[in-house]
Amino acid sequence: MIRLLLTIIFLFPLFLTAETIVVKTKAAQNRNAVFQYRVPRGYDKNRREMYRVLVIFGGRLV
């Protein structure tokens, strides 16, 4: 039972998908900043409805 639960927990991220956008920066150490995003389910660009956005900034890569 525990083995099955651990397998599900470790395989779950494989089913998540996100698009990426690259933003050019002036920083010498990081010329391109990459951000991942997901479009909300049911999003319609023709509607004037507001959508919430969650942005997660990760750790530093050295």
Side-chain angles (χ1 to χ4, degrees), residues 1-53:
M1 180 68 182
I2 293 177
R3 182 178 287 176
L4 176 65
L5 183 60
L6 288 174
T7 303
I8 292 171
I9 289 171
F10 285 114
L11 290 179
F12 182 71
L14 297 177
F15 296 104
L16 299 177
T17 59
E19 301 292 326
T20 58
I21 184 170
V22 178
V23 178
K24 296 188 185 303
T25 67
K26 295 180 181 179
Q29 309 89 336
N30 189 15
R31 292 288 180 196
N32 297 318
V34 180
F35 297 93
Q36 295 182 341
Y37 69 94
R38 288 179 40 198
V39 176
R41 186 180 311 143
Y43 173 74
D44 183 5
K45 66 179 180 178
N46 296 322
R47 294 180 70 184
R48 294 185 53 137
E49 185 176 336
M50 298 291 287
Y51 290 89
R52 293 181 180 182
V53 176

